[in-house]
Amino acid sequence: MSGPSPYAFLVGDKVFYDPHPGAQLEFVQRVAKRVMTGEGPSKFFLRGNRGGGKSLTVRRGVCHALALAIPGLKYVVVRRNMPDLYLNHLQFLDGEMTSLGGEYRQSPHPTCRYGNGSMGFYRQCEDFADVEKIVGAEGAALFVDEAPQISWENLSLMFPSLRVALCNLSKKVAMPPSSNPAPCNTCRPIRSASRSKSRDRKSTRLNSSHRT
């Protein structure tokens, strides 16, 4: 059995996350570069089969990793409703944050608190009231899970809200809205509705053996 790759995220002597060569590794590196330097696309669209590891890659490979690497970073993870948010993310956060030396709080809103001051907010987005709470989080990075389930109006209100304190070295980045492929191409509505130039977007198909 081979050991972890040079890009593995280790917690002690255990592998917390190890991206597969190819799409997973490229995606994690590109997003990290954007957050750390401000270079590259500001929006990423991540697509792949159900159970292909999209949520796991973003939560462990990007959100947790960057939160630990950049003190004071704030990120936001969004799903349309709370039951789906729980199934894909919340049920794993208590164990993950314990292993990372941080704290997960369920109340009043699901929140990850890291030892270096970074924070991660997990929110539902079913109506405008939910959007206001997401905007109020003032995150530097936003991940919209299953974005096609959320209205474009709500998405367009969330994206411009990303902001970073001047003292923070991280840059604004819209994390990938993930989606599962469907006959109608679920990524298409987001692309066509965006006013951003095509060179400012990156679409990555992600398939792997990882399970959320």
Side-chain angles (χ1 to χ4, degrees):
M1 182 176 178
S2 60
S5 76
Y7 308 100
F9 178 0
L10 301 178
V11 178
D13 58 351
K14 295 183 179 180
V15 177
F16 186 75
Y17 177 78
D18 197 353
H20 287 283
Q24 275 194 10
L25 178 58
E26 177 189 1
F27 164 71
V28 171
Q29 290 179 329
R30 287 178 67 95
V31 174
K33 181 179 180 180
R34 171 66 190 185
V35 175
M36 301 293 285
T37 69
E39 299 176 2
S42 64
K43 299 177 181 66
F44 295 79
F45 298 89
L46 189 61
R47 60 193 178 95
N49 297 327
R50 292 186 183 277
K54 300 184 298 295
S55 296
L56 181 69
T57 294
V58 169
R59 192 180 67 252
R60 288 196 174 199
V62 177
C63 293
H64 286 321
L66 289 176
L68 291 174
I70 306 174
L73 178 75
K74 292 182 180 180
Y75 66 84
V76 185
V77 177
V78 175
R79 182 97 189 206
R80 186 175 66 85
N81 58 54
M82 192 58 67
D84 289 340
L85 189 63
Y86 176 80
L87 289 175
N88 282 81
H89 297 287
L90 301 186
Q91 65 172 315
F92 307 106
L93 290 178
D94 190 36
E96 290 176 351
M97 290 303 295
T98 297
S99 67
L100 296 175
E103 179 186 12
Y104 169 60
R105 298 181 182 178
Q106 287 185 303
S107 180
H109 303 290
T111 304
C112 291
R113 295 179 178 271
Y114 301 81
N116 63 356
S118 292
M119 298 178 68
F121 305 98
Y122 291 75
R123 300 289 187 265
Q124 68 177 24
C125 186
E126 291 194 282
D127 52 36
F128 182 72
D130 292 330
V131 174
E132 288 185 314
K133 296 174 184 177
I134 294 166
V135 171
E138 299 186 356
L142 171 68
F143 168 54
V144 184
D145 200 346
E146 296 294 348
Q149 296 179 0
I150 298 175
S151 71
W152 173 252
E153 181 181 6
N154 286 341
L155 288 173
S156 63
L157 289 172
M158 286 188 285
F159 289 149
S161 72
L162 299 179
R163 62 197 68 161
V164 183
L166 293 177
C167 61
N168 198 318
L169 295 178
S170 62
K171 305 294 182 178
K172 293 184 180 180
V173 55
M175 296 296 291
S178 71
S179 62
N180 294 292
C184 63
N185 187 354
T186 53
C187 287
R188 189 174 300 150
I190 294 179
R191 293 182 182 178
S192 61
S194 174
R195 295 182 180 178
S196 300
K197 295 182 179 180
S198 59
R199 65 172 178 268
D200 195 39
R201 300 193 299 267
K202 175 68 176 179
S203 177
T204 301
R205 183 176 181 84
L206 185 62
N207 290 311
S208 75
S209 60
H210 279 307
R211 301 285 174 174
T212 305

